[in-house]
Amino acid sequence: MEEKRYRQVQNFLKLQIQKGYYVVGDYLPSENELCSTFSITRTTARKALEELMKEGFIGRQHGKGSIVRERRQSLGLLTVKGFSEAVGKDVTTVFLQHPQPGFWNPEIHFPISENEIRESCIHFARQRCVGEIPVMIEYNWLANTHLEGIGDIAFIDGSFFKTLSQHYRIEIIGSEQELRAENANKNIAVLLRIPLGSPILHISLKFHTSKNNFYIYSELYCNTVNYPIGNSYHL
Amino acid sequence: MEEKRYRQVQNFLKLQIQKGYYVVGDYLPSENELCSTFSITRTTARKALEELMKEGFIGRQHGKGSIVRERRQSLGLLTVKGFSEAVGKDVTTVFLQHPQPGFWNPEIHFPISENEIRESCIHFARQRCVGEIPVMIEYNWLANTHLEGIGDIAFIDGSFFKTLSQHYRIEIIGSEQELRAENANKNIAVLLRIPLGSPILHISLKFHTSKNNFYIYSELYCNTVNYPIGNSYHL
DNA sequence: CGTTTTTACTTGTACGTACAAGTAAAAACG
DNA sequence: CGTTTTTACTTGTACGTACAAGTAAAAACG
């Protein structure tokens, strides 16, 4: 079967956004313009735009048009955009380890499929700071077969998810997470510059992506004393 | 202006679900049936059903119909359905304090509006257990002006949110939350039967409801050693 | 009697039309 | 020149039609 008309238009526009032809704040072509350029009816054009809105790429304003948005559905606890919003402060990021081939670590909380274990693994780790104070340590693992050259390029705007979208056309479509309050072990205590045994928030994450069988695993350790993790959800 | 036709149908069906005329698993009338009973076109009927799906009341199955669902969008961390899903186990609930008039407590993390402070306040507290082991202590506050008789009735299926929906026709439409890892104070340690100073997960919640200016404030204290808080999100 | 085909439903996609309602700039007014 | 009205766009709602595609039971078949 041929792909549905509205999905063709939807994916075309999505690609334009991902490629940066439209940036945040830009208006997409109006429904009527889409009608004539794609030879479709407004019903179909509207369906394409409504799907893009559901996916979080655009917002729609009555009387004005469809505006490109920062894609930031709250996925579990942290937004797609990232950590800065969750603590509501400007966050600086320091790489503890740049992306490079490594091994799947038993620290990963969610079970890893046999397929993933057979493949090699990319690992990177970052320290997030507010001002000079480290507030989160973040470890990430992912299969080595989906992101060619990830070790050689800088993250777009320092964001892994943005790089995933714009460079590899892979979107985050869901997540699973588990939360625990724990005592900081020696390693974490040193990295967060807190006393051994301080209470820390440990978040285990498994991100689902638009690419089949490709998941991203993260283990986050947060010092929430001064900057609690916050988010919000609205229907 | 008169209310939109699709919203009339949407709200009519929602009320039927809230009143229990349709229960989870039931099929709503088909699009064509809605067309004839409400004298509308399928466009309008479909819009009403699609809105109900967005709100989480129903699911739609190609070739079959619209089926009533348990409404359980993940709202922040915990689902609307409640705590049992978040820990993935059967949870028993013990009231530490039944709903009764009380005072706004400074323990509430999110700021309370002047209007709310002027009104009196309903408070209730619960202990959630897996088997015999307490895993969460939950304190709740809400303005006294919206839920007449809440102190005199039992919660439907033990769920406050279900009671809110079916008895008062009030739905949760959003939430804000903040998360902290803390050391258990004396009170919490006793209630959770853990040593003083054990790491606990403290969740501050402000639920937004379908009723204007009516919010529900909760402070949760979780022992995550054996039962971490888990949830998932999918586009 | 067991299998295949048909039928009668369901929702999904896509066509097309008309007007309501919001927005913002251009044009007309006094 | 400042205010009001008009105009030309935008998306939103609602009408109506036709066929595609999924589902499940009834009917026909061998």
Side-chain angles (χ1 to χ4, degrees):
Chain A
M1 197 200 73
E2 215 177 61
E3 197 173 32
K4 289 147 203 163
R5 304 276 271 141
Y6 79 83
R7 202 161 286 280
Q8 290 173 31
V9 177
Q10 173 191 349
N11 287 334
F12 175 85
L13 292 171
K14 192 195 296 185
L15 199 61
Q16 302 265 307
I17 295 170
Q18 288 172 325
K19 283 185 174 172
Y21 298 158
Y22 297 104
V23 299
V24 173
D26 284 357
Y27 282 95
L28 293 188
S30 74
E31 296 174 359
N32 285 318
E33 284 178 286
L34 293 175
C35 290
S36 51
T37 55
F38 289 96
S39 303
I40 54 177
T41 52
R42 256 190 81 207
T43 315
T44 309
R46 282 180 67 79
K47 178 81 175 167
L49 292 167
E50 268 156 21
E51 289 295 311
L52 281 175
M53 188 165 70
K54 271 190 205 165
E55 288 188 286
F57 285 97
I58 61 169
R60 313 202 70 204
Q61 294 169 272
H62 190 181
K64 293 188 79 177
S66 302
I67 193 166
V68 176
R69 289 244 171 102
E70 192 76 55
R71 191 166 174 277
R72 62 175 86 162
Q73 278 87 0
S74 64
L75 282 166
L77 212 55
L78 305 179
T79 61
V80 171
K81 193 182 169 198
F83 185 63
S84 0
E85 259 178 57
V87 298
K89 301 273 173 182
D90 276 337
V91 171
T92 57
T93 302
V94 178
F95 271 94
L96 301 174
Q97 161 144 28
H98 278 86
Q100 56 184 259
F103 298 99
W104 295 103
N105 194 302
E107 188 180 349
I108 303 172
H109 179 75
F110 287 98
I112 296 161
S113 75
E114 303 232 333
N115 270 327
E116 285 171 314
I117 289 176
R118 270 198 294 276
E119 296 166 6
S120 70
C121 157
I122 290 282
H123 172 62
F124 67 97
R126 298 188 287 191
Q127 181 191 51
R128 306 298 189 107
C129 302
V130 175
E132 290 297 306
I133 306 158
V135 293
M136 184 178 83
I137 308 298
E138 171 205 299
Y139 299 102
N140 305 283
W141 296 266
L142 41 126
N144 196 3
T145 43
H146 302 88
L147 306 182
E148 212 170 317
I150 187 71
D152 307 324
I153 58 168
F155 287 177
I156 296 168
D157 295 345
S159 162
F160 175 60
F161 288 140
K162 211 169 202 172
T163 308
L164 216 57
S165 167
Q166 294 188 8
H167 198 277
Y168 297 98
R169 314 259 176 271
I170 296 173
E171 303 292 334
I172 303 295
I173 57 166
S175 70
E176 302 165 61
Q177 64 181 359
E178 280 200 5
L179 302 164
R180 286 177 197 73
E182 294 175 352
N183 294 122
N185 63 24
K186 200 172 171 187
N187 188 29
I188 296 296
V190 168
L191 289 168
L192 286 175
R193 291 187 225 145
I194 52 178
L196 188 71
S198 303
I200 49 143
L201 175 58
H202 177 186
I203 308 176
S204 301
L205 277 157
K206 176 181 183 178
F207 289 103
H208 298 231
T209 72
S210 54
K211 196 158 183 180
N212 242 349
N213 298 314
F214 177 44
Y215 304 100
I216 297 150
Y217 300 90
S218 299
E219 300 292 328
L220 315 181
Y221 300 90
C222 312
N223 173 10
T224 57
V225 170
N226 295 307
Y227 303 102
I229 303 294
N231 76 342
S232 63
Y233 174 92
H234 287 277
L235 196 69
Chain B
M1 195 200 77
E2 216 177 61
E3 197 173 35
K4 289 148 202 160
R5 306 275 271 140
Y6 78 82
R7 203 161 287 279
Q8 290 173 31
V9 177
Q10 174 191 348
N11 288 333
F12 176 86
L13 291 171
K14 192 195 296 184
L15 198 61
Q16 302 264 307
I17 295 169
Q18 288 172 326
K19 284 186 174 170
Y21 297 159
Y22 296 103
V23 298
V24 172
D26 284 356
Y27 283 95
L28 293 188
S30 74
E31 296 175 359
N32 284 319
E33 285 177 285
L34 292 176
C35 289
S36 50
T37 56
F38 289 96
S39 303
I40 53 177
T41 53
R42 258 189 80 206
T43 316
T44 309
R46 282 181 68 78
K47 178 81 175 166
L49 291 168
E50 268 156 21
E51 289 295 310
L52 281 174
M53 187 163 71
K54 272 191 203 164
E55 288 188 284
F57 285 96
I58 61 169
R60 311 201 72 203
Q61 294 168 274
H62 191 182
K64 294 189 79 179
S66 303
I67 194 166
V68 176
R69 288 241 173 104
E70 193 76 55
R71 190 167 175 274
R72 63 175 88 162
Q73 279 84 2
S74 65
L75 281 167
L77 212 56
L78 305 179
T79 60
V80 171
K81 194 182 169 197
F83 185 65
S84 1
E85 260 179 53
V87 298
K89 301 276 174 181
D90 275 335
V91 170
T92 56
T93 302
V94 178
F95 270 93
L96 301 174
Q97 161 145 26
H98 278 85
Q100 58 183 259
F103 298 98
W104 296 102
N105 195 303
E107 188 180 352
I108 302 171
H109 179 75
F110 287 98
I112 297 161
S113 75
E114 303 232 334
N115 270 327
E116 285 170 315
I117 289 176
R118 270 198 293 277
E119 295 165 6
S120 70
C121 156
I122 291 282
H123 172 63
F124 66 96
R126 298 188 286 190
Q127 181 191 49
R128 307 297 190 108
C129 304
V130 175
E132 289 298 305
I133 305 157
V135 294
M136 184 178 84
I137 308 298
E138 171 204 300
Y139 300 101
N140 305 283
W141 296 267
L142 42 125
N144 195 3
T145 43
H146 302 88
L147 306 182
E148 211 169 318
I150 188 69
D152 308 324
I153 57 169
F155 287 177
I156 296 166
D157 296 347
S159 163
F160 176 60
F161 288 140
K162 212 169 203 172
T163 309
L164 217 56
S165 167
Q166 295 189 5
H167 198 277
Y168 297 97
R169 315 260 175 269
I170 296 173
E171 302 292 334
I172 303 295
I173 57 166
S175 71
E176 303 166 60
Q177 65 182 357
E178 280 200 8
L179 301 164
R180 287 176 198 72
E182 294 176 352
N183 294 123
N185 64 25
K186 200 173 171 187
N187 187 30
I188 296 297
V190 168
L191 288 168
L192 287 174
R193 288 186 225 145
I194 52 177
L196 188 70
S198 304
I200 50 145
L201 176 57
H202 177 184
I203 307 176
S204 302
L205 278 158
K206 176 181 182 177
F207 289 104
H208 297 231
T209 72
S210 53
K211 196 158 182 181
N212 242 348
N213 298 312
F214 178 43
Y215 304 100
I216 296 150
Y217 301 89
S218 299
E219 300 292 329
L220 315 181
Y221 300 89
C222 312
N223 173 11
T224 57
V225 170
N226 296 307
Y227 302 102
I229 303 293
N231 78 342
S232 63
Y233 174 91
H234 288 277
L235 197 67

